[in-house]
Amino acid sequence: MSSLTATAPARPAADTLIAWQSLMAAYEAAKAADDDINARFDVAWAAYEADKPAEPDIDLALIFGSFPGLCAATPRRLLHSDDLDELQRQILAAKGVTRWERIDRDPERIAELDKVREFRRLLAEAEQRHDLSARDAEWSEAGRRLSAAHAALLLAPAPDYEAVRCKLDQLFGPKVTGAVADEERSVPPWGAELTDAIIADMARLGGAA
């Protein structure tokens, strides 16, 4: 009569286990630092939002003409990114003609641009008061460090099946596949090198059992 003998899982190699533990500690430290910087950025951003100037009421039709192609993005581009000096040069060079119709009201049109200039000046002062540029650079660097630490952990050889489970949870667990709004759960498009690493883990650990 045959019998089944249970075999205990092979113990992970000491160097593989130590390397995994070191990478996990580095990842957890990077995650804690990223969480802290995100919290501080949120506080700074909320203060900036409360402090920044209100957007001015700009007569777009006076500046550009009553062209039906004006869209919702036009005011934002004008307030934040359009080259105002070039736009003023075009107004003066056209001698009262917009791109689409004639408006002989150049001083009033330029006064509208001056409203935008003043808004940008006040906005820049608010950004400086709340040090948003430095906060943004700090936030980006923390995210880069976290991403690098996470990738190093997921690509490292797993010392045991518990480590494999940890990898699977971080790649496909509910925290990363949770439904967004009314959409169904979905799996993020991870790079093949991450799934290849898990397949290699399973093959290696299965052969050692």
Side-chain angles (χ1 to χ4, degrees):
M1 182 176 179
S2 62
S3 62
L4 295 176
T5 303
T7 304
R11 297 183 62 184
D15 56 346
T16 303
L17 178 59
I18 291 172
W20 172 263
Q21 291 173 336
S22 176
L23 290 169
M24 176 61 79
Y27 167 69
E28 290 176 343
K31 180 70 168 62
D34 185 69
D35 288 344
D36 177 65
I37 289 170
N38 274 319
R40 288 191 280 117
F41 182 87
D42 288 345
V43 170
W45 184 261
Y48 162 74
E49 285 287 309
D51 186 37
K52 72 179 183 181
E55 293 184 351
D57 184 19
I58 303 297
D59 189 340
L60 297 177
L62 180 59
I63 295 176
F64 297 109
S66 55
F67 182 63
L70 294 178
C71 63
T74 302
R76 181 164 187 82
R77 287 199 303 266
L78 177 65
L79 289 174
H80 298 280
S81 60
D82 278 352
D83 185 334
L84 300 182
D85 291 341
E86 174 60 18
L87 190 53
Q88 178 167 325
R89 187 197 66 76
Q90 291 175 5
I91 288 174
L92 295 176
K95 300 185 184 306
V97 180
T98 69
R99 297 169 190 164
W100 306 288
E101 63 185 57
R102 183 171 186 82
I103 301 180
D104 293 316
R105 298 169 64 185
D106 288 348
E108 293 177 54
R109 295 167 71 193
I110 292 171
E112 292 298 298
L113 295 185
D114 287 339
K115 289 183 189 178
V116 178
R117 290 187 174 98
E118 178 62 8
F119 168 74
R120 290 187 183 182
R121 185 186 70 79
L122 294 174
L123 194 66
E125 288 181 354
E127 291 173 355
Q128 291 176 357
R129 277 195 300 275
H130 299 283
D131 207 11
L132 284 192
S133 179
R135 289 276 183 266
D136 185 63
E138 187 181 36
W139 175 80
S140 297
E141 178 59 20
R144 186 198 65 77
R145 289 195 300 266
L146 176 59
S147 179
H150 197 201
L153 179 69
L154 295 175
L155 292 172
D160 49 35
Y161 283 114
E162 179 61 24
V164 174
R165 187 205 62 76
C166 177
K167 289 186 179 185
L168 291 172
D169 185 58
Q170 294 195 36
L171 290 176
F172 308 111
K175 288 185 178 180
V176 292
T177 60
V180 177
D182 295 328
E183 298 179 7
E184 296 181 356
R185 292 179 63 187
S186 60
V187 176
W190 298 113
E193 67 273 14
L194 296 177
T195 51
D196 287 348
I198 294 177
I199 293 171
D201 288 334
M202 299 296 289
R204 186 183 67 259
L205 295 170

